Amino acid sequence: MKNNIKLISFLLIGLLILSGCDKFLEEDLRDKIPAEEFYNNDAEAILAVNGLYRILYRGSLYKTRGLDNYLENGADEVGPSRNVNGEIFNYLIAEGVADGNDTWGSLYELVRNSCVNIASIEGNEKLSEKVRDQALGEALFMRSLAYWHLTNLWGDVPYFRELLTLEELGTLERTDKVLIRTEMKEDLERAFDLLPTSYSGSDLGRATKWAAATLKAKFHLFDKEWVFAEEECLKVINDSPHRLLDNYADVFDQSDPANQYNDELIFVVDFTKDPIFNDAKTARTDDYNPRIRDEPKNRNERPGGAGTPQLWEVLTDTLATYNEEMNGYGWAIPLPELADQNNWEEGDLRYEATIVKEYLGFELSFPYFRKNWNLNKDNSPRENHPENYYVFRLADVYLMAAEAQNEINGPANAYEYVNKVRERAFEIDKPWSGMSQQEFREAMYDERKYELSAEGKRRLDLIRWGILLDVVRETKQRAWNNPAANIQSQHVLLPIPLDEILLNPNLLNSDPSNNGYR
């Protein structure tokens, strides 16, 4: 989708649909969308849906650390390399302080614009059946994705399925997340029937029926609906064209900007270098790329003696011979326990593909996530990166199926799913066997950690398992962070953003404590 979505379609949809505001209740969009003058043919319908994808590129969502702030930080995998982002990482969150206001606004913009698309596309006889089905399926998927994040981050939230007036929006109360998630599962079932099985060329990156099934499986897994979760996973495992790659490191190889898709990837947010529209590139990679001011270890030493280049200059010159440089922000690094190979199972090949502590013969001051960095200065320059954000991939689906089957019947039939993932993780295979249901359940805590580290899965996993507080309090931190001293039970959710409460006090009607933050 690098050419299809990120060119003139953005401009057109930006004028017709996107409000450009980050506040949920700030504008009455219904009065500004000439829907009757649009959606007149297949091309316009696709352009309208392209506008939904564009919202995903926001810095408050997938572009930088928007969603990562609440999906990765404050768990036991990723932490800052210096004293930054402390309000979030150290659980100093409060109303108006790291309460996710921008993320809330972007997600509700995605909801609103999805509603416009659904209302305008459904039953539209000006469109071909093929395009109508695809566009409707994509809009249903996007709205479900938005409510997936909203209910996970805030629990009960305002809920609507059609575009409302400013007055209506300004009086909405919170809706029970159970109802929201139930209806999203129904929408995803419908999306599965409508969406294509695959795309090619410039359409790569659009949501397929397998993306819809994976998201639905996640809803079911989070809600402990094990049978339904496994059913959705098996659709993807047995019927989709997706497969596990033979080499774990290859899953994350995005060194060639023209070849960033592989068979394991189910849904990604597709970024590109040098886009016409600035928001289509990502700076997230800079969080994972080192900065040369930190590296290497003992960087000011002069290995050749007095008057010779310092070690950091030698590293810089060495990197240049590979057309590389360390010019990132360098602040999203593995926490000490994850970086220590002794804490990984012996022989786990994923360690070397995930963690890097030495590079080109230089010992580094910090460990880094090799799977998420790209040092190529031409293909992936600072703040102009093309690396895609992996939202769903097949290994996650296998592990979800294993977890669901274990909860249904115990581990006997769950081994086949988890062992499929472990086959490539060990050169001498180490399949699981002989576990009790509880042993399997607890082993899955670590298996998902090592397979999916720094992919935006960890914190929600710890929350749904009910162990976030215990894990954070037991995890070794660096000197500048101490989340264990601050984390409390309310931190499994965010407070409704203060700006939204000021606009609509009804948001406190069902819970005056605002998720325990008052």
Side-chain angles (χ1 to χ4, degrees), residues 76 337 467-477 484:
D76 61 341
E337 293 173 345
I467 60 174
L468 175 67
L469 273 68
D470 290 340
V471 168
V472 169
R473 288 169 177 164
E474 295 170 0
T475 297
K476 181 180 180 182
Q477 305 289 337

Side-chain angles (χ1 to χ4, degrees), residues 6 72 99 102 140 170 201 207 210 224 259 263 283 293 344 390 412 518:
K6 298 164 186 169
E72 282 295 340
D99 59 10
D102 290 343
L140 289 166
W210 316 117
K224 302 186 186 303
N259 188 28
D263 289 345
R293 66 185 292 184
W344 293 58
Y390 293 179
R518 290 195 166 200

Side-chain angles (χ1 to χ4, degrees), residues 166-265:
L166 181 61
E167 181 179 0
E168 291 167 331
L169 287 170
T171 60
L172 278 180
E173 298 185 14
R174 298 168 71 177
T175 295
D176 188 334
K177 69 178 182 180
V178 174
L179 171 63
I180 300 173
R181 295 164 75 90
T182 296
E183 294 193 353
M184 289 306 100
K185 293 167 198 170
E186 294 170 356
D187 283 354
L188 287 167
E189 185 71 27
R190 190 176 176 209
F192 179 87
D193 293 334
L194 293 168
L195 287 167
T197 59
S198 63
Y199 299 94
S200 62
S202 61
D203 283 332
L204 286 170
R206 308 188 80 96
T208 64
K209 60 173 65 261
W210 316 117
T214 301
L215 180 55
K216 188 168 182 282
K218 286 185 170 295
F219 272 115
H220 288 306
L221 198 76
F222 205 96
D223 295 341
K224 302 186 186 303
E225 297 166 344
W226 308 116
V227 172
F228 296 127
E230 185 183 27
E231 286 178 358
E232 297 302 319
C233 289
L234 291 182
K235 289 180 184 178
V236 181
I237 291 170
N238 294 332
D239 301 330
S240 83
H242 298 288
R243 67 175 183 88
L244 296 177
L245 299 193
D246 294 334
N247 186 345
Y248 181 78
D250 290 345
V251 177
F252 309 98
D253 183 3
Q254 300 194 60
S255 58
D256 180 1
N259 188 28
Q260 292 181 290
Y261 289 89
N262 62 65
D263 289 345
E264 189 162 329
L265 305 181

Side-chain angles (χ1 to χ4, degrees), residues 64-247:
T64 49
R65 64 191 68 92
L67 282 170
D68 276 0
N69 276 332
Y70 307 108
L71 301 182
E72 282 295 340
N73 284 299
D76 61 341
E77 292 183 345
V78 182
S81 63
R82 50 197 183 275
N83 190 15
V84 294
N85 213 25
E87 292 88 357
I88 292 174
F89 193 84
N90 289 313
Y91 288 99
L92 301 174
I93 298 165
E95 289 181 7
V97 178
D99 59 10
N101 183 58
D102 290 343
T103 298
W104 170 286
S106 294
L107 290 171
Y108 271 111
E109 189 167 342
L110 185 57
V111 171
R112 292 194 306 261
N113 293 351
S114 296
C115 290
V116 173
N117 277 270
I118 292 167
S120 302
I121 292 169
E122 190 165 21
N124 189 334
E125 296 183 356
K126 298 177 183 178
L127 309 179
S128 68
E129 182 179 5
K130 178 180 178 181
V131 168
R132 185 171 60 242
D133 285 353
Q134 175 190 319
L136 182 57
E138 288 178 284
L140 289 166
F141 171 82
M142 287 294 187
R143 186 170 65 183
S144 299
L145 182 64
Y147 278 124
W148 162 252
H149 289 306
L150 286 164
T151 55
N152 284 336
L153 295 178
W154 287 280
D156 299 345
V157 293
Y159 180 54
F160 55 95
R161 296 173 61 86
E162 60 184 23
L163 199 60
L164 304 179
T165 65
L166 181 61
E167 181 179 0
E168 291 167 331
L169 287 170
T171 60
L172 278 180
E173 298 185 14
R174 298 168 71 177
T175 295
D176 188 334
K177 69 178 182 180
V178 174
L179 171 63
I180 300 173
R181 295 164 75 90
T182 296
E183 294 193 353
M184 289 306 100
K185 293 167 198 170
E186 294 170 356
D187 283 354
L188 287 167
E189 185 71 27
R190 190 176 176 209
F192 179 87
D193 293 334
L194 293 168
L195 287 167
T197 59
S198 63
Y199 299 94
S200 62
S202 61
D203 283 332
L204 286 170
R206 308 188 80 96
T208 64
K209 60 173 65 261
W210 316 117
T214 301
L215 180 55
K216 188 168 182 282
K218 286 185 170 295
F219 272 115
H220 288 306
L221 198 76
F222 205 96
D223 295 341
K224 302 186 186 303
E225 297 166 344
W226 308 116
V227 172
F228 296 127
E230 185 183 27
E231 286 178 358
E232 297 302 319
C233 289
L234 291 182
K235 289 180 184 178
V236 181
I237 291 170
N238 294 332
D239 301 330
S240 83
H242 298 288
R243 67 175 183 88
L244 296 177
L245 299 193
D246 294 334
N247 186 345

